[in-house]
């Protein structure tokens, strides 16, 4: 351990859920908290940590330290946990099982690092009792949206009643995924008792988001649980120079396009598109009038792109589009003036990045929280969802029509600009409140 860490006043051990989309909000929170004098340990698998290490600014390397999971825990995790190429949602149950059975290993990390506070994801109910046994306070940090979180708590508390906000619903073909999500989110012990379940043993719950966007859902979640939900702000990664330089050809191509003429198409870090969705998106892009950058990812490492796309697709694209296999510098692309929209699965990080940088969303949600986030995007007025048919199939005409309305005709621009301006006005208000809460929690326990 670096000796300079001892000079900082409060040390926080952060334990995010695995995967890039989960650790990045923790890292952004960590960066903000270092500006308030906290020292941070960030604990995860080597694969997850390796995806963010270069994002720790050199001037913060003495204030944020990464900590790998103990070998006995990581060796029980499924193989996908040890790659940076996605962590499919169906592994959630297996991961949770490993974590739930690793109390001893986690306890030894706590004993060794002796943090003043533990911040953990709500899918890790083993955390508070361990911290308590060592007299260390702990706080949940939920990286999902408040709309999804309040929807979930509503479901736990009032399983028979509809969520009171009428536009926030799962569609018929999405309900199977909702059941899966809600079942996985529950604490197994609480599930047995049949009570409202995610482990919420603390008074304050941190949540990724802003009152400016989700004020009423934050209030609703607080009312349902009796806990104080404190938003940490959008926590968006700033466009980053390293990533940019590795994609200079792509960005030069974008420079040549007209202002707001290009749509960015990307579906996050975890999920791989089905063949049917690939076809719907590909034909939809060709039928639309927008230029595009499409990031495609596959579970296999060796892939011939042509074989995954509709026949002749790449020949038809010409100068209108760029395909990127694997990974693109999303935030650098979203802030580019020639980008006029984002075809997104509505992972919560992507939604917040769009709101923060003022990019209209063409919502194509896939699973888990994404459908509910997409409903919020429409409620906010910052985008439009592509409606699937009754069997959940993605229709190319529908994709093209929404891209044309949202991107080519710039149909939601006024609202998008308003949201961006409102978020910019918030400044550091929310993170200041979080820092005050955390200091107060630590000082209460010490006194
Ligand atoms: C996961 C879940 O799938 C999602 O439902 C949940 O809301 C958050 O956790 P993920 O699928 O990775 O997230 O999507 P998202 O939340 O949008 O996060 C992806 C992150 O990766 C974003 O910060 C995005 O900027 C970054 N990214 C993704 C890139 O920088 N380049 C890429 O090519 C793809």
């Amino acid at each position: 351990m670096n000796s300079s860490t001892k000079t900082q006043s409060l040390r926080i051990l952060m334990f995010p859920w695995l995967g890039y989309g989960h650790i990045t909000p923790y890292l952004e929170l960590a960066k903000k908290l270092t500006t308030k004098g906290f020292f941070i340990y960030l604990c995860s698998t080597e694969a997850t940590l390796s995806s963010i290490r270069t994002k720790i600014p050199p001037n913060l390397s003495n204030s944020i330290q990464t900590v790998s999971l103990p070998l006995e825990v990581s060796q029980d995790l499924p193989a996908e946990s040890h790659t940076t190429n996605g962590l499919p949602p169906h592994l959630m149950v297996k991961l949770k099982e490993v974590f739930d059975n690793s109390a001893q290993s986690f306890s030894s990390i706590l004993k060794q690092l002796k943090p003043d506070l533990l911040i953990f994801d709500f899918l890790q109910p083993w955390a508070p009792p361990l911290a308590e046994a060592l007299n260390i306070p702990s706080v949940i940090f939920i990286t999902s949206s408040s709309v999804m979180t309040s929807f979930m708590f509503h479901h736990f508390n009032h399983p028979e009643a509809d969520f009171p906000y009428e536009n926030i619903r799962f569609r018929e073909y999405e309900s199977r995924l909702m059941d899966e999500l809600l079942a996985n989110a529950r604490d197994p012990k609480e599930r047995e008792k049949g009570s409202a379940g995610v482990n919420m043993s603390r008074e304050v719950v941190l949540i990724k988001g802003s009152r400016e966007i989700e004020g009423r859902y934050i209030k609703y979640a607080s009312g349902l649980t009796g806990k104080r939900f404190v938003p940490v702000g959008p926590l968006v990664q700033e466009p980053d120079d390293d990533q940019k330089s590795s994609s200079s050809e792509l960005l030069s191509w974008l420079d040549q396009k007209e202002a707001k003429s290009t749509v960015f198409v990307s579906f996050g870090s975890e999920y791989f598109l089905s063949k049917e969705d690939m076809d719907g998106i590909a034909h939809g892009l060709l039928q639309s009038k927008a230029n595009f950058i499409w990031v495609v990812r596959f579970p296999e490492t060796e892939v011939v792109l042509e074989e995954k796309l509709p026949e002749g697709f790449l020949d038809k694209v010409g100068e209108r589009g760029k395909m990127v296999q694997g990974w693109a510098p999303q935030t650098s692309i979203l802030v580019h003036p020639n980008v006029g929209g984002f075809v997104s699965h509505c992972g919560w990080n992507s939604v917040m990045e769009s709101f923060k940088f003022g990019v209209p969303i063409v919502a194509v949600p896939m699973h888990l929280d994404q459908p509910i986030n997409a409903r919020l995007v429409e409620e906010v007025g910052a985008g439009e969802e592509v409606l699937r048919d009754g069997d959940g199939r993605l229709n190319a005409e529908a994709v093209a029509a929404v891209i044309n309305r949202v991107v080519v005709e710039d149909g939601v621009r006024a609202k998008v600009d308003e949201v961006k301006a409102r978020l910019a006005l918030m400044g550091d208000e929310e993170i200041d409140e979080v820092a005050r809460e955390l200091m107060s929690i630590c000082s209460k326990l010490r006194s």
Side-chain angles (χ1 to χ4, degrees), residues 201-228:
S201 58
R202 293 295 174 269
E203 291 314 309
V204 171
V205 177
L206 305 183
I207 190 149
K208 174 176 158 128
S210 174
R211 288 194 182 93
E212 274 302 308
I213 304 291
E214 297 186 284
R216 67 177 180 171
Y217 300 111
I218 293 171
K219 265 196 203 144
Y220 188 60
S222 302
L224 278 173
T225 57
K227 314 286 170 195
R228 217 142 36 84

Side-chain angles (χ1 to χ4, degrees), residues 12-16 26-27 29-30 33 40-43 118-119:
I12 301 178
L13 172 60
M14 290 186 169
F15 203 113
Y26 273 76
L27 175 61
L29 177 62
L33 289 176
I40 313 289
Y41 297 109
L42 200 48
C43 182
L118 175 65
I119 298 187

Side-chain angles (χ1 to χ4, degrees), residues 236-426:
V236 164
Q237 347 173 24
E238 290 303 325
D240 131 2
D241 289 337
D242 283 354
Q243 280 192 332
K244 247 197 227 168
S245 58
S246 62
S247 302
S248 54
E249 195 206 317
L250 180 70
L251 293 165
S252 313
W253 175 88
L254 188 54
D255 288 341
Q256 307 307 312
K257 300 296 167 200
E258 281 173 31
K260 297 193 170 61
S261 66
T262 304
V263 67
F264 179 58
V265 188
S266 173
F267 300 99
S269 68
E270 291 185 348
Y271 191 69
F272 306 109
L273 291 190
S274 65
K275 174 83 181 94
E276 293 72 31
D277 279 1
M278 283 285 287
D279 288 357
I281 297 286
H283 289 299
L285 286 170
L286 286 181
Q287 286 176 31
S288 80
K289 297 187 188 121
N291 304 315
F292 59 88
I293 294 173
W294 182 6
V295 190
V296 283
R297 305 174 58 255
F298 305 99
E300 312 90 314
T301 40
E302 304 281 313
V303 169
V304 180
L305 191 54
E306 283 89 334
E307 290 171 7
K308 296 283 182 181
L309 291 160
E311 219 184 312
F313 175 81
L314 290 177
D315 299 330
K316 290 181 197 144
V317 169
E319 264 309 290
R320 260 190 72 196
K322 275 274 179 201
M323 301 299 292
V324 179
Q325 213 166 322
W327 197 253
Q330 180 162 309
T331 48
S332 303
I333 292 172
L334 290 179
V335 292
H336 197 289
N338 298 348
V339 166
F342 182 11
V343 178
S344 169
H345 67 321
C346 294
W348 189 229
N349 297 300
S350 292
V351 171
M352 272 298 171
E353 287 161 14
S354 295
F355 287 174
K356 173 103 193 273
F357 299 134
V359 183
I361 297 177
V362 173
V364 183
M366 310 276 168
H367 64 106
L368 298 175
D369 56 335
Q370 298 151 19
I372 292 297
N373 296 341
R375 311 291 117 88
L376 179 82
V377 167
E378 286 216 321
E379 181 183 277
V380 167
E384 185 181 332
E385 183 175 348
V386 180
L387 293 181
R388 291 168 182 262
D389 71 15
D391 296 323
R393 271 188 299 262
L394 197 58
N395 174 295
E397 284 73 37
V399 174
V402 179
I403 293 178
N404 287 343
R405 277 199 291 280
V406 168
V407 186
V408 181
E409 294 152 28
D410 213 8
V412 292
R413 174 57 53 195
K415 208 62 192 170
V416 165
D417 287 347
E418 183 199 312
V419 169
K420 179 180 171 183
R422 271 165 42 207
L423 284 177
L425 269 180
M426 290 296 282

Side-chain angles (χ1 to χ4, degrees), residues 33-325:
L33 289 176
T34 59
T35 66
K36 310 286 166 200
F38 291 88
F39 174 85
I40 313 289
Y41 297 109
L42 200 48
C43 182
S44 194
T45 58
E46 231 347 91
T48 302
L49 292 174
S50 71
S51 67
I52 52 108
R53 275 206 186 94
T54 55
K55 292 173 184 292
I56 302 176
N59 63 330
L60 295 185
S61 61
N62 281 337
S63 313
I64 301 178
Q65 187 178 315
T66 56
V67 178
S68 298
L69 280 180
L71 189 62
E72 67 273 19
V73 181
S74 59
Q75 71 194 7
D76 286 344
L77 292 169
E80 289 88 337
S81 322
H82 304 296
T83 73
T84 48
N85 193 29
L87 207 54
H90 69 264
L91 289 177
M92 218 176 197
V93 180
K94 175 67 188 160
L95 292 177
K96 193 154 164 17
E97 198 182 289
V98 174
F99 288 145
D100 288 351
N101 292 330
S102 303
Q104 276 220 300
S105 307
F106 292 126
S107 179
S108 60
I109 299 183
L110 283 172
K111 278 184 192 147
Q112 186 202 338
L113 299 177
K114 296 193 185 70
D116 299 289
L117 177 73
L118 175 65
I119 298 187
F120 65 102
D121 189 276
F122 75 117
L123 287 164
Q124 291 147 333
W126 49 266
L130 285 187
E132 229 157 79
L134 297 167
N135 212 24
I136 297 167
S138 58
V139 175
I140 296 176
F141 172 32
I142 300 181
T143 56
S144 310
S145 56
S146 297
V147 63
M148 181 61 208
T149 305
S150 62
F151 183 90
M152 197 171 71
F153 283 116
H154 171 89
H155 184 84
F156 290 153
N157 287 289
H158 310 291
E160 304 310 326
D162 280 343
F163 192 57
Y165 303 100
E166 276 168 25
N167 55 329
I168 307 293
R169 296 273 184 279
F170 278 96
R171 301 190 202 292
E172 190 69 29
Y173 56 80
E174 292 164 348
S175 59
R176 185 182 53 78
L177 300 166
M178 177 190 74
D179 292 345
E180 190 184 313
L181 174 75
L182 295 176
N184 289 338
R186 280 184 159 199
D187 178 340
K189 287 188 217 90
E190 297 293 333
R191 213 183 313 160
E192 273 161 33
K193 282 191 268 165
S195 61
V198 175
N199 191 308
M200 296 282 290
S201 58
R202 293 295 174 269
E203 291 314 309
V204 171
V205 177
L206 305 183
I207 190 149
K208 174 176 158 128
S210 174
R211 288 194 182 93
E212 274 302 308
I213 304 291
E214 297 186 284
R216 67 177 180 171
Y217 300 111
I218 293 171
K219 265 196 203 144
Y220 188 60
S222 302
L224 278 173
T225 57
K227 314 286 170 195
R228 217 142 36 84
F229 276 71
V230 179
V232 297
L235 289 188
V236 164
Q237 347 173 24
E238 290 303 325
D240 131 2
D241 289 337
D242 283 354
Q243 280 192 332
K244 247 197 227 168
S245 58
S246 62
S247 302
S248 54
E249 195 206 317
L250 180 70
L251 293 165
S252 313
W253 175 88
L254 188 54
D255 288 341
Q256 307 307 312
K257 300 296 167 200
E258 281 173 31
K260 297 193 170 61
S261 66
T262 304
V263 67
F264 179 58
V265 188
S266 173
F267 300 99
S269 68
E270 291 185 348
Y271 191 69
F272 306 109
L273 291 190
S274 65
K275 174 83 181 94
E276 293 72 31
D277 279 1
M278 283 285 287
D279 288 357
I281 297 286
H283 289 299
L285 286 170
L286 286 181
Q287 286 176 31
S288 80
K289 297 187 188 121
N291 304 315
F292 59 88
I293 294 173
W294 182 6
V295 190
V296 283
R297 305 174 58 255
F298 305 99
E300 312 90 314
T301 40
E302 304 281 313
V303 169
V304 180
L305 191 54
E306 283 89 334
E307 290 171 7
K308 296 283 182 181
L309 291 160
E311 219 184 312
F313 175 81
L314 290 177
D315 299 330
K316 290 181 197 144
V317 169
E319 264 309 290
R320 260 190 72 196
K322 275 274 179 201
M323 301 299 292
V324 179
Q325 213 166 322

Side-chain angles (χ1 to χ4, degrees), residues 135 137 203-204 228 436-447:
N135 212 24
E203 291 314 309
V204 171
R228 217 142 36 84
R436 279 197 302 276
E437 290 286 357
L438 299 185
M439 281 182 203
S440 144
I441 290 168
C442 293
S443 62
K444 264 185 217 152
L445 206 90
R446 281 171 168 178
S447 58

